[in-house]
Amino acid sequence: MPKFKGKSIVSLKDMEKKEILHLMKKAEEVKSGKLTQVLKGKVIASLFFEPSTRTRLSFESAVLGQGGSVFGFADPGASSAKKGETLSDTIKNVMGYCDAIVMRHFIEGAARRASEISSVPVVNGGDGANQHPTQTFLDLFTMLEKKGSLDGKVIGMMGDLKYGRTIHSLAMALTHFDVKLHFISPKELNIPDHYYDYLKAKKIEYVHSTLESCGKELDFLYCTRIQKERFYDPMEYEKVAGSYKIDKTSLEYLKPDTFIMHPLPRVDEIAVDVDDDPRAVYFEQAHNGVPVRAALLGLVTGTI
Amino acid sequence: MPDNKQYKVFKIEQGTVIDHIPSPRGLAVFRLLSKNNNSLISIGLNFDSKTVGKKDLIKFEGKIISKKETDKIALIAPEATINIIKDFKVIEKRHIDIPSDIHGIIRCLNPNCITNIEKIDTIFKVVEKKPVKVMCHYCERTAEVKPDMIDKE
Ligand SMILES: [Zn+2]
């Protein structure tokens, strides 16, 4: 059985397939109620050097719902970082008061650095444009929950595949499984070249598609938002953005059991009236962050 | 040996000869090694070479280069050869090896990387050898090593 106790979770690269699957199993047990009070008596520090209400609430709900307690700060204005304290000193201080640290920071590599200083495990809740591993774990959890297994599944990734950290991270994680990927994006926002090399090396089949052409093949459609600022030419944005939005009409391109996922928050890339469709699972997906984060904290603090 | 012929051009008694640096990287190699260096230095540029086309050559009279300096050269001119000279003879042919991990020496080009914010030593993993590409242990960005990433300390 994989050993998690004391382990920091900073990057997807820190987790082997068997560890990911073990986490998924434990998260399922937390969600079903088979495991309860997994953080009883544990104190978790929640250090948000960059505000992120959704991620913070999900982590805090995970801790409180499992009998743990949580303290920390929600935005950098309230933290000692504002007064010029280094990250190292903040961590050295806080690690004396808790069993694990959850942190989000706008600096890339901050969580890795913290994990090297800290005597308690550090869980990365996002470091700049770099990693946000618990998002990927809850994505995988949702996929496994919906389809039982990932092998043989076909996943469409749609929208901004160039800058989307969630997409990059999910694509890397999916290489542990026998999946096929469809990339659905304007050419300006294709996934960066080195991911193709990585996918090839891992023998993962991928194609560039349109939703119309591949929709009937998909088990999952993972949507992300295309931001206007990513285009040099605003006209270009107006021309293409519409093709990467989901509404009642585009639902017809999908199978009756193609699940629609999104890391949230969405703006207008999924029409509100799609929410009632049974295939729309993005809110459920977000809620899965709670058992996944609870299980992860239970594993690294050694209670599970 | 063709090398012997070139030593006749500017022979050194003891020191280091860095040969087979693909042109025009000779001056970049020189710049990496020139700090706090008072030895007599000769630089030859654009020699014909059977192995690398045009090559550059640097000789340091009286200076034996360190392991750390060898590693720096490996990053920008892995094709180079290094000979240590004593009494006009080659006493050591130093093999250039690209290490799998690089501690210090190079800085991360990502301005939003923790290594550029707090005073900590950089660590890079070599992900490709020709040309040398490295991944930052902290921000996980990958970049091809360029001379201006290398510390001149
Ligand atoms: Zn870096």
Side-chain angles (χ1 to χ4, degrees):
Chain A
M1 205 161 55
K3 222 179 103 53
F4 273 95
K5 191 178 176 183
K7 185 179 164 92
S8 286
I9 308 296
V10 171
S11 163
L12 217 64
K13 296 187 180 76
D14 299 334
M15 300 268 282
E16 292 173 24
K17 181 178 181 179
K18 63 172 194 278
E19 294 171 313
I20 295 175
L21 290 176
H22 186 64
L23 167 63
M24 296 295 118
K25 186 164 163 270
K26 294 296 152 188
E28 202 279 310
E29 290 174 13
V30 169
K31 187 172 178 180
S32 69
K34 188 176 168 197
L35 284 174
T36 54
Q37 298 289 301
V38 300
L39 295 169
K40 190 161 190 243
K42 296 294 178 191
V43 179
I44 310 297
S46 160
L47 311 183
F48 278 64
F49 295 88
E50 173 189 57
S52 171
T53 310
R54 282 171 313 109
T55 303
R56 185 173 57 84
L57 293 182
S58 174
F59 266 113
E60 294 185 1
S61 162
V63 176
L64 297 173
Q66 293 296 321
S69 47
V70 62
F71 73 94
F73 49 83
D75 81 89
S79 76
S80 45
K82 195 84 177 178
K83 300 186 192 105
E85 187 178 58
T86 62
L87 172 67
S88 310
D89 283 358
T90 304
I91 297 298
K92 279 180 197 157
N93 195 7
V94 168
M95 71 192 204
Y97 313 137
C98 61
D99 298 295
I101 296 172
V102 170
M103 68 177 274
R104 186 182 184 97
H105 207 296
F106 50 92
I107 300 294
E108 285 131 36
R112 177 70 67 199
R113 179 59 182 158
S115 74
E116 290 169 349
I117 293 161
S118 178
S119 56
V120 298
V122 172
V123 173
N124 187 4
D127 61 325
N130 186 32
Q131 288 272 336
H132 189 12
T134 58
Q135 173 71 48
T136 307
F137 299 148
L138 73 88
D139 290 344
L140 291 176
F141 181 83
T142 305
M143 290 178 170
L144 287 166
E145 188 180 44
K146 292 293 167 195
K147 295 278 181 183
S149 140
L150 277 165
D151 290 325
K153 299 296 180 288
V154 183
I155 295 122
M157 295 182 163
M158 185 166 87
D160 180 354
L161 309 185
K162 185 173 181 183
Y163 298 99
R165 168 180 71 180
T166 320
I167 290 286
H168 301 163
S169 199
L170 181 60
M172 302 282 272
L174 286 172
T175 62
H176 287 304
F177 303 91
D178 177 21
V179 295
K180 178 180 175 183
L181 302 178
H182 283 278
F183 295 134
I184 309 161
S185 71
K187 62 180 188 311
E188 293 87 344
L189 297 175
N190 277 346
I191 200 161
D193 284 345
H194 63 272
Y195 287 98
Y196 298 127
D197 300 336
Y198 191 81
L199 293 171
K200 268 180 217 152
K202 295 276 183 176
K203 299 192 166 48
I204 298 293
E205 189 186 347
Y206 64 86
V207 271
H208 292 269
S209 310
T210 60
L211 190 59
E212 293 89 319
S213 68
C214 75
K216 295 289 178 209
E217 228 188 289
L218 300 180
D219 293 296
F220 295 98
L221 175 64
Y222 198 103
C223 307
T224 59
R225 182 157 71 100
I226 293 181
Q227 288 171 275
K228 206 174 197 163
E229 308 84 78
R230 301 297 188 200
F231 287 80
Y232 280 118
D233 182 356
M235 290 275 285
E236 208 46 42
Y237 168 82
E238 299 299 339
K239 255 196 328 212
V240 303
S243 321
Y244 303 95
K245 287 178 181 169
I246 298 292
D247 54 23
K248 287 273 187 204
T249 319
S250 39
L251 282 179
E252 285 164 25
Y253 300 131
L254 304 176
K255 290 196 293 187
D257 61 345
T258 304
F259 292 104
I260 305 163
M261 298 174 67
H262 190 292
L264 302 183
R266 65 136 164 229
V267 180
D268 58 356
E269 57 278 19
I270 301 179
V272 177
D273 59 6
V274 172
D275 295 0
D276 296 331
D277 192 286
R279 291 169 289 183
V281 295
Y282 29 90
F283 287 108
E284 210 179 326
Q285 176 192 355
H287 294 154
N288 279 337
V290 174
V292 168
R293 288 171 172 130
L296 186 62
L297 286 168
L299 286 166
V300 300
T301 57
T303 58
I304 300 182
Chain B
M1 270 165 60
D3 275 2
N4 282 339
K5 202 168 79 198
Q6 274 167 10
Y7 294 155
K8 282 176 194 147
V9 182
F10 38 90
K11 220 168 187 177
I12 59 173
E13 187 177 342
Q14 48 194 330
T16 307
V17 178
I18 307 167
D19 199 352
H20 301 102
I21 306 166
S23 303
R25 278 177 266 164
L27 286 175
V29 171
F30 164 71
R31 266 185 235 110
L32 282 182
L33 304 177
S34 58
K35 189 143 181 193
N36 302 324
N37 187 350
N38 299 318
S39 55
L40 186 67
I41 303 166
S42 335
I43 304 176
L45 303 175
N46 296 324
F47 289 97
D48 285 318
S49 158
K50 284 194 189 80
T51 51
V52 294
K54 290 277 182 193
K55 68 170 189 178
D56 300 340
L57 175 77
I58 308 172
K59 299 188 179 197
F60 292 95
E61 175 72 58
K63 174 188 167 76
I64 310 293
I65 69 164
S66 66
K67 168 81 176 77
K68 193 172 168 186
E69 287 168 320
T70 309
D71 286 347
K72 286 187 187 183
I73 298 166
L75 293 175
I76 57 168
E79 305 87 343
T81 56
I82 297 174
N83 290 333
I84 309 296
I85 311 290
K86 206 174 171 187
D87 297 329
F88 299 103
K89 286 198 188 82
V90 176
I91 57 154
E92 181 191 344
K93 279 188 176 291
R94 202 174 278 176
H95 192 64
I96 288 196
D97 238 345
I98 300 169
S100 57
D101 293 294
I102 302 161
H103 293 250
I105 303 180
I106 41 186
R107 63 185 181 84
C108 185
L109 285 184
N110 172 9
N112 202 35
C113 174
I114 186 79
T115 60
N116 289 316
I117 311 274
E118 293 201 357
K119 245 186 123 57
I120 53 178
D121 290 335
T122 60
I123 305 172
F124 288 88
K125 202 171 198 58
V126 175
V127 292
E128 254 176 68
K129 296 209 164 181
K130 256 184 190 180
V132 184
K133 269 193 188 164
V134 293
M135 186 181 81
C136 176
H137 166 69
Y138 290 97
C139 72
E140 306 191 351
R141 297 283 178 91
T142 300
E144 191 178 313
V145 176
K146 298 277 188 231
D148 63 350
M149 286 166 72
I150 304 176
D151 283 336
K152 290 170 189 69
E153 292 306 310

